[in-house]
C-alpha cells in the first residue's frame, strides 16, 4: 500500500528522527541549508538523487479547483 506524504513533512519527520537538521544532513550527505529550505517550503522540486536519499519517489498529483 502506498503512503503519501509531502516533501516538507518527510524532511520534518526525518529531522525529528535524527535529532536535528545537521544530523540528518550528515546522515544523508545533503547540505543542511538545502534541507532547511525544503523543510520551510522555499525549495520544492529537488532532484532525483535527493528525493531518493529522503526515501521518497516523486509522483505528481493534481488538485480539483472548484468553480473553474
Amino acid at each position: 500500500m502506498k503512503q503519501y506524504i509531502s516533501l516538507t513533512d518527510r524532511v520534518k519527520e526525518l529531522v525529528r528522527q535524527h535529532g536535528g537538521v545537521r544530523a540528518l544532513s550528515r546522515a544523508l550527505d545533503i547540505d543542511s541549508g538545502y534541507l532547511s529550505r525544503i523543510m520551510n517550503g522555499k525549495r520544492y522540486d529537488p532532484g532525483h538523487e535527493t528525493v531518493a536519499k529522503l526515501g521518497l519517489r516523486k509522483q505528481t498529483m493534481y488538485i480539483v479547483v472548484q468553480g473553474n
Side-chain angles (χ1 to χ4, degrees):
M1 188 167 133
K2 293 181 183 179
Q3 178 185 355
Y4 294 93
I5 188 169
S6 73
L7 179 61
T8 56
D9 286 344
R10 177 61 176 166
V11 172
K12 289 176 184 178
E13 175 182 81
L14 291 172
V15 166
R16 280 192 300 273
Q17 288 175 7
H18 285 83
V21 173
R22 290 184 186 178
L24 177 61
S25 172
R26 286 188 298 274
L28 299 183
D29 192 29
I30 300 174
D31 180 72
S32 61
Y34 189 71
L35 287 171
S36 181
R37 287 189 295 277
I38 292 172
M39 194 168 64
N40 291 309
K42 294 179 181 174
R43 285 291 298 195
Y44 50 86
D45 194 21
H48 176 74
E49 183 179 341
T50 300
V51 171
K53 286 181 178 182
L54 294 170
L56 298 172
R57 185 183 67 175
K58 184 177 179 178
Q59 184 166 347
T60 304
M61 296 176 60
Y62 295 90
I63 298 171
V64 176
V65 179
Q66 299 297 323
N68 288 334

